[in-house]
């Protein structure tokens, strides 16, 4: 297997079909459009949109559906030359959008897919990662099956061996951890293997058992910065290797009204950013992936300025809320404008 050429970032995860309906349950729904999605693929699309050279590694089914999925990724300029194929079905998820005061609900069908049967030795990580700068994956890759978890840790081993920056999104999805592993123990091991990390505040709460209320209804909310600073110290002690850790913090006064901010732990110190009041949410799916992609792009382009890094990541996530589907297609100049980066 030849290595990918001139790649800044290699993303690894499962690519799926997304089915959704604005108001119906899965039993009565009639989705009129099929989308493709997947956390790490969403990151790859964002990075390609921002002009970074990115390759994507996954395993998809042989056949028309798998072909369509690969074509979808390639449309955005992503290198798909190392996407593996095998017999099986494509993973999928159904999203029931929240209406009135109801929250959105996600139902997965990811058992017995080509990705779930990945195991160490199938992917030639040395060839793929050689020459790349960043390797990105998430906790989802380890949640699907024991063998996919083992394949993910194999990739982390090779990324370390080759000296890549490891980017990790916690992406804790309780509904996916069905094969017997302890999710928290596995995720902490992955967190301790990364250099750059993103997670939603709820995921960090799950890991640490600590919660700091964030009940913002507007951008003038006063955060308990002392409490967050103490928490950041605990997280830095838990993951001392991680040099840039972003915690996304969100409140939802209404299903279509969110308030979003973030803090960063940069070399053990806490950095804050603006609070964005988003009153007309179009599609909140993929906001965390937009955060992660913004963070990776910042790592490549202004690594020495943690404030710009955080502001850019938060701006990318904020703007994703206005875009339907999982992919953040916001251009670099628009993100910089919201972040106040000249």
């Amino acid at each position: 297997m030849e290595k990918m050429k001139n790649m800044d970032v290699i993303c690894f995860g499962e690519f799926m079909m997304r089915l959704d309906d604005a108001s119906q349950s899965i039993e009565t729904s009639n989705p009129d459009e099929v989308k493709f999605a997947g956390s790490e693929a969403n990151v790859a699309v964002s990075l390609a949109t921002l002009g970074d050279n990115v390759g994507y590694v996954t395993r998809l089914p042989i056949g028309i559906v798998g072909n369509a999925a690969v074509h979808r990724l390639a449309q955005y300029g992503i290198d798909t030359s190392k996407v593996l194929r095998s017999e099986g079905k494509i993973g999928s998820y159904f999203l029931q959008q929240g209406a009135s005061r109801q929250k959105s609900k996600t139902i997965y069908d990811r058992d017995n897919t080509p990705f779930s049967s990945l195991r160490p030795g199938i992917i030639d990580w040395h060839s793929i990662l050689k020459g790349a700068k960043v390797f990105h994956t998430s906790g989802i890759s380890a949640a699907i099956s024991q063998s996919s978890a083992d394949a993910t840790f194999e990739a982390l081993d090779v990324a370390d061996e080759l000296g890549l920056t490891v980017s990790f999104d916690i992406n804790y999805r309780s509904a996916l951890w069905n094969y017997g592993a302890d999710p928290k123990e596995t995720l902490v091991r992955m967190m301790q293997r990364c250099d750059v990390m993103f997670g939603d505040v709820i995921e960090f709460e799950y890991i640490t058992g600590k919660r700091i209320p964030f009940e913002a209804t507007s951008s003038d909310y006063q955060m308990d910065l002392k409490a967050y600073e103490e928490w950041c110290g605990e997280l830095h002690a838990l993951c001392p290797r991680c040099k840039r850790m972003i915690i996304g913090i969100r409140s939802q006064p209404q299903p279509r009204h969110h308030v979003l901010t973030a803090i960063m732990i940069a070399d053990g110190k806490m950095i804050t950013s603006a609070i964005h009041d988003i009153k007309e949410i179009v599609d909140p799916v993929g906001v965390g992936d937009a955060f992660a992609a913004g963070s990776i792009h910042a790592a490549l382009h202004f690594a020495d300025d943690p404030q710009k890094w955080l502001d850019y990541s938060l701006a990318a996530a904020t703007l994703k809320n206005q875009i339907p589907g999982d992919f953040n297609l916001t251009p670099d100049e628009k993100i910089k404008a919201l972040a106040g980066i000249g």
Side-chain angles (χ1 to χ4, degrees), residues 151-167:
T152 304
F153 277 98
E154 178 190 37
L156 292 173
D157 289 341
V158 176
D160 281 349
E161 178 186 333
L162 297 179
L164 275 70
T165 295
V166 174
S167 168

Side-chain angles (χ1 to χ4, degrees), residues 14-92:
E14 185 171 32
F15 200 41
M16 304 176 293
M17 288 195 303
R18 167 181 166 175
L19 308 171
D20 57 0
D21 192 295
S23 59
Q24 303 296 320
S25 69
I26 189 170
E27 293 86 356
T28 60
S29 68
N30 184 28
D32 57 5
E33 183 181 3
V34 174
K35 305 180 182 74
F36 289 104
S39 176
E40 302 84 1
N42 299 343
V43 172
V45 170
S46 293
L47 290 169
T49 300
L50 296 174
D52 298 314
N53 295 317
V54 56
Y56 183 65
V57 180
T58 190
R59 187 157 73 161
L60 289 166
I62 295 168
I64 295 173
V65 175
N67 293 345
V70 173
H71 178 68
R72 184 64 168 158
L73 290 168
Q75 284 181 314
Y76 294 99
I78 296 168
D79 186 326
T80 60
S81 63
K82 301 303 176 282
V83 171
L84 304 180
R85 309 292 292 275
S86 72
E87 298 294 338
K89 67 178 183 181
I90 193 168
S92 62

Side-chain angles (χ1 to χ4, degrees), residues 188-214:
V188 169
R189 283 197 291 132
M190 299 178 83
M191 292 166 67
Q192 293 173 337
R193 297 284 302 273
C194 74
D195 306 293
V196 176
M197 188 191 319
F198 168 76
D200 183 275
V201 67
I202 295 173
E203 293 164 336
F204 284 104
E205 290 170 357
Y206 168 72
I207 294 297
T208 64
K210 184 173 184 176
R211 182 178 183 274
I212 301 172
F214 182 76

Side-chain angles (χ1 to χ4, degrees), residues 42-314:
N42 299 343
V43 172
V45 170
S46 293
L47 290 169
T49 300
L50 296 174
D52 298 314
N53 295 317
V54 56
Y56 183 65
V57 180
T58 190
R59 187 157 73 161
L60 289 166
I62 295 168
I64 295 173
V65 175
N67 293 345
V70 173
H71 178 68
R72 184 64 168 158
L73 290 168
Q75 284 181 314
Y76 294 99
I78 296 168
D79 186 326
T80 60
S81 63
K82 301 303 176 282
V83 171
L84 304 180
R85 309 292 292 275
S86 72
E87 298 294 338
K89 67 178 183 181
I90 193 168
S92 62
Y93 75 98
F94 176 86
L95 177 67
Q96 181 181 349
Q97 296 279 9
S100 184
R101 288 189 173 272
Q102 294 179 340
K103 292 186 177 181
S104 298
K105 181 179 180 181
T106 304
I107 300 172
Y108 296 102
D109 181 9
R110 302 178 75 159
D111 294 333
N112 304 312
T113 64
F115 190 91
S116 71
S117 61
L118 278 175
R119 62 183 185 278
I122 290 178
I123 300 173
D124 184 356
W125 286 114
H126 284 88
S127 175
I128 289 172
L129 296 179
K130 186 176 181 181
K133 299 174 183 176
V134 178
F135 172 70
H136 174 76
T137 192
S138 85
I140 292 175
S141 296
I144 298 169
S145 69
Q146 183 63 63
S147 63
S148 72
D150 294 340
T152 304
F153 277 98
E154 178 190 37
L156 292 173
D157 289 341
V158 176
D160 281 349
E161 178 186 333
L162 297 179
L164 275 70
T165 295
V166 174
S167 168
F168 179 65
D169 183 347
I170 299 173
N171 256 338
Y172 173 56
R173 302 288 184 269
S174 59
L176 294 178
W177 290 86
N178 298 318
Y179 64 89
D182 182 331
K184 186 181 295 186
E185 186 273 335
T186 305
L187 290 170
V188 169
R189 283 197 291 132
M190 299 178 83
M191 292 166 67
Q192 293 173 337
R193 297 284 302 273
C194 74
D195 306 293
V196 176
M197 188 191 319
F198 168 76
D200 183 275
V201 67
I202 295 173
E203 293 164 336
F204 284 104
E205 290 170 357
Y206 168 72
I207 294 297
T208 64
K210 184 173 184 176
R211 182 178 183 274
I212 301 172
F214 182 76
E215 300 172 348
T217 58
S218 66
S219 59
D220 59 3
Y221 181 79
Q222 298 298 308
M223 298 173 65
D224 187 348
L225 295 180
K226 183 177 180 181
Y228 280 109
E229 194 163 15
E230 292 175 357
W231 195 29
C232 287
E234 295 171 12
L235 289 168
H236 179 64
L238 178 66
C239 306
R241 169 175 163 174
C242 187
K243 302 302 182 185
R244 299 287 186 269
M245 185 186 305
I246 294 178
I247 304 171
I249 305 169
R250 172 167 52 184
S251 68
Q252 298 180 230
Q254 297 287 339
R256 298 296 176 185
H257 176 199
H258 296 188
V259 182
L260 184 67
T261 190
I263 58 178
M264 172 187 275
I265 306 170
D267 299 315
K269 298 180 180 179
M270 185 180 80
I271 298 173
T272 62
S273 190
I275 298 177
H276 293 295
D277 190 355
I278 314 167
K279 295 182 177 179
E280 294 296 333
I281 298 290
V282 174
D283 191 341
V285 177
V287 168
D289 305 323
F291 253 123
S295 177
I296 295 170
H297 183 78
L300 293 171
H301 297 278
F302 26 89
D304 295 332
D305 191 328
Q307 187 67 62
K308 283 186 178 179
W309 187 324
L310 176 60
D311 293 344
Y312 187 93
S313 304
L314 175 60

